[in-house]
Amino acid sequence: MRIARRAAPERVLLVHPGIYADRNPLVFPPWGALMLGAELLGRGHEVEVLDLNGQDVAAAVPAALGRHRPTVVGITCKLGLGAARFRAVVDVVRRESPDTTVVAGGPLVSSFPDPAHPLWAGLDAVFWGDGETALADWLATDERPGGVLGPAETPDLDRIGVPAWWGPLRDYVKPAELWPNMTVDAMHVASARGCTRRCTFCYLNAQYPGSRFRYVSADRLMADLQRLHDTAGASGFYFVDDCFVDRPETRVRRFCDLNIAEGAPFEYGCDVQLTDLENPALLRRMHGAGFRALYVGIETASPAVRKSLGKGSVRTGVPDLVSRALDLGLVVRASIGIGWPGETARDVAATLEMIDRTPGLVFDAYRYLPLPNTPLGERSEWTERRAAAGPGRLEHAYEDYSEYNTNHSDIPAEQFDALWQELLARERQRLEMYFARP
Ligand code: B12
Ligand code: SF4
């Protein structure tokens, strides 16, 4: 008979390095760390979570090491300033506590999965994909392999749901006036992984190469949100999930029905796709269930560019789709970008014109950001850049990523800059509208 080894419990410190050095930290709970924490607690380990957004890493990490004396430190990593702060955390832990096991995971791993990349220096293992069962299983093995492990997927998201175990969660609940079109205190929550689509520029191509949309079931989600309401005091929930509406609409309909049956106790915001706005019956049901704010990836008005991005096509024009949603009592905010490979000045003009014809549309403007290991990112930037830098290595990975949000179109620089300014001016004016109260 094979007897499973029961590993000694570890004292695990999960660190979210944060993406801001000096700004309001408590806007997005560190859900990745909280999900891992729920699984580890369930397996008998002690767990502490440290969210360093807005804090000085050099001071906060030694203090936390002194307080918790962890045997394992697990660090979340993602692009941008977050990558530099991640490296700073690794270096401080290694210096202050050289015998501690140090591991990392998060979306940055899928962007730079080469184990020899300097980003991973000093780590005992690096986890690609979902971390819950991957880390807990790794801690339970006698020989813990090093390098980059995965990509992994947590088989059943209902196992953890949306956990409420972390006391400081109540600090992430923000007053109603900070939320679009909501009348209650609310917080950001995470309830799914992946997406029903695979746009060519999207990080999901690398983060979850094998899978599509997975989610916490409607019944479990409803119960967990009720628990978050009871423990943290939130009556509104804005989902940070990349996708909320499943293709067969099984979960979204059940979730709406559960809310409607309970008298719509909460208010919600979530991401949807432009194609979802073509479904007024669904939008009506979502509004009845408490949905108030939708976020849509429009990206561009040009059908040719949309096609190259894999965004799918819509039969109804954006102005009609948006005004229909507004008429139903929903607000719509979108992401709109320029600088796409192959984009022409005429394409950008079409995007600006679409914005002008959609006065109710609020949007975030950005310039295309080519992500490593995505089909479009590789084609437009990284295959060449990696070849120049050596296998799998990208020398600028630690830096603020904003310098890569730039012009990858064929539009000459001066003309592009002028178009970018036009887009920014419209963005400013619309965002003011979004948070204005009636
Ligand atoms: C909320 C959010 C933000 C918030 C900030 C959140 C915060 N407090 O840091 C805001 C809106 C401010 C933001 C900003 C940016 N973001 Co952001 N953001 C997200 C979002 C939507 C949700 C994060 C989340 O909570 N996920 C839910 C949890 C459960 O998933 P998770 O964190 O990935 O954790 C799982 C695994 O990754 C892993 N894991 C995580 N940590 C660890 C640790 C260990 C030890 C282990 C083993 C495993 C592990 O296990 C977890 C559970 O399975 C994600 C997209 C997404 N859906 O994840 C993008 C995302 C993380 N952001 C991203 C980016 C690029 C940015 C920006 C750089 C954008 C930009 N160009 O400016 C900026 C950062 C600027 C900066 N200064 O650094 C990318 C990262 C891509 C990458 N390859 O690293 C993502 C994936 C989205 C995308 N479009 O590509 N972001
Ligand atoms: S719809 Fe959004 S989250 Fe889904 S694949 Fe496209 S860009 Fe990514």
Side-chain angles (χ1 to χ4, degrees):
M1 191 173 77
R2 229 184 116 185
I3 299 173
R5 172 180 168 270
R6 197 175 154 75
E10 303 273 6
R11 281 193 308 282
V12 185
L13 176 65
L14 297 170
V15 184
H16 182 259
I19 61 162
Y20 302 125
D22 55 3
R23 271 203 274 152
N24 177 12
L26 306 178
V27 179
F28 295 89
W31 281 115
L34 300 181
M35 306 276 178
L36 301 184
E39 177 72 22
L40 295 172
L41 285 167
R43 304 250 196 138
H45 300 289
E46 286 176 38
V47 180
E48 293 289 343
V49 170
L50 185 64
D51 184 2
L52 291 178
N53 246 331
Q55 294 190 45
D56 175 6
V57 169
V61 174
L65 293 173
R67 253 187 342 266
H68 305 304
R69 307 234 151 263
T71 53
V72 177
V73 175
I75 313 166
T76 298
C77 51
K78 78 176 207 181
L79 282 170
L81 183 59
R85 289 175 66 82
F86 157 73
R87 267 318 306 174
V89 174
V90 175
D91 293 341
V92 173
V93 176
R94 272 283 163 252
R95 192 184 64 227
E96 300 282 321
S97 188
D99 297 331
T100 303
T101 299
V102 189
V103 297
L108 188 65
V109 179
S110 59
S111 296
F112 303 102
D114 176 7
H117 194 286
L119 267 173
W120 315 128
L123 290 155
D124 293 294
V126 176
F127 293 82
W128 177 354
D130 288 348
E132 294 94 341
T133 39
L135 177 59
D137 289 350
W138 187 82
L139 290 176
T141 55
D142 286 325
E143 283 172 28
R144 296 171 174 173
V148 174
L149 311 171
E153 278 172 21
T154 299
D156 176 11
L157 294 184
D158 270 8
R159 194 181 151 86
I160 291 159
V162 186
W165 66 272
W166 196 50
L169 268 176
R170 69 179 66 86
D171 300 334
Y172 294 79
V173 178
K174 299 294 165 204
E177 56 266 26
L178 296 180
W179 297 93
N181 204 24
M182 288 199 193
T183 57
V184 293
D185 296 356
M187 71 190 301
H188 287 105
V189 288
S191 76
R193 309 282 156 79
C195 184
T196 51
R197 202 170 278 284
R198 269 294 188 273
C199 302
T200 56
F201 63 94
C202 181
Y203 82 105
L204 289 173
N205 289 284
Q207 172 82 343
Y208 299 117
S211 85
R212 302 196 61 95
F213 187 45
R214 295 166 295 133
Y215 48 76
V216 175
S217 70
D219 292 75
R220 174 70 199 253
L221 181 56
M222 194 66 201
D224 285 352
L225 297 182
Q226 185 60 53
R227 195 165 308 115
L228 274 174
H229 168 75
D230 297 342
T231 55
S235 297
F237 300 96
Y238 203 111
F239 294 98
V240 297
D241 304 321
D242 294 311
C243 184
F244 191 82
V245 178
D246 55 310
R247 275 269 152 79
E249 297 177 10
T250 313
R251 175 177 86 146
V252 68
R253 282 165 181 272
R254 172 83 184 147
F255 185 65
C256 289
D257 291 349
L258 288 169
N259 276 277
I260 291 165
E262 301 213 2
F266 304 129
E267 292 181 5
Y268 300 107
C270 72
D271 277 24
V272 295
Q273 294 172 27
L274 208 42
T275 43
D276 297 322
L277 296 188
E278 288 194 298
N279 186 346
L282 178 67
L283 296 188
R284 218 169 283 121
R285 197 178 194 138
M286 289 174 74
H287 184 265
F291 282 84
R292 293 291 177 268
L294 304 178
Y295 200 96
V296 190
I298 294 180
E299 326 307 356
T300 169
S302 153
V305 179
R306 265 187 81 81
K307 190 161 182 233
S308 79
L309 305 184
K311 292 301 295 182
S313 57
V314 279
R315 291 180 304 274
T316 317
V318 169
D320 287 342
L321 289 177
V322 170
S323 59
R324 202 154 72 189
L326 293 173
D327 289 346
L328 286 170
L330 297 152
V331 293
V332 179
R333 182 167 171 175
S335 54
I336 295 182
I338 61 170
W340 302 106
E343 192 178 38
T344 62
R346 188 175 291 183
D347 291 324
V348 178
T351 298
L352 295 174
E353 199 214 330
M354 173 198 72
I355 294 165
D356 293 342
R357 284 193 296 118
T358 320
L361 178 67
V362 178
F363 67 96
D364 299 297
Y366 67 95
R367 288 167 295 180
Y368 166 54
L369 170 73
L371 289 172
N373 299 329
T374 61
L376 195 63
E378 286 298 319
R379 261 200 320 274
S380 60
E381 172 93 12
W382 293 113
T383 302
E384 205 178 308
R385 185 180 280 269
R386 196 178 297 105
R393 299 162 77 97
L394 295 167
E395 70 277 31
H396 296 299
Y398 308 80
E399 294 173 7
D400 186 321
Y401 222 60
S402 50
E403 71 173 272
Y404 295 111
N405 292 52
T406 180
N407 179 16
H408 291 259
S409 71
D410 300 329
I411 305 168
E414 211 171 300
Q415 189 182 7
F416 182 83
D417 286 344
L419 291 168
W420 173 235
Q421 291 310 322
E422 283 201 48
L423 189 65
L424 283 179
R426 286 166 173 79
E427 178 200 41
R428 262 194 308 276
Q429 182 253 328
R430 300 294 172 92
L431 281 173
E432 278 166 21
M433 201 169 84
Y434 192 60
F435 290 105
R437 292 275 132 184

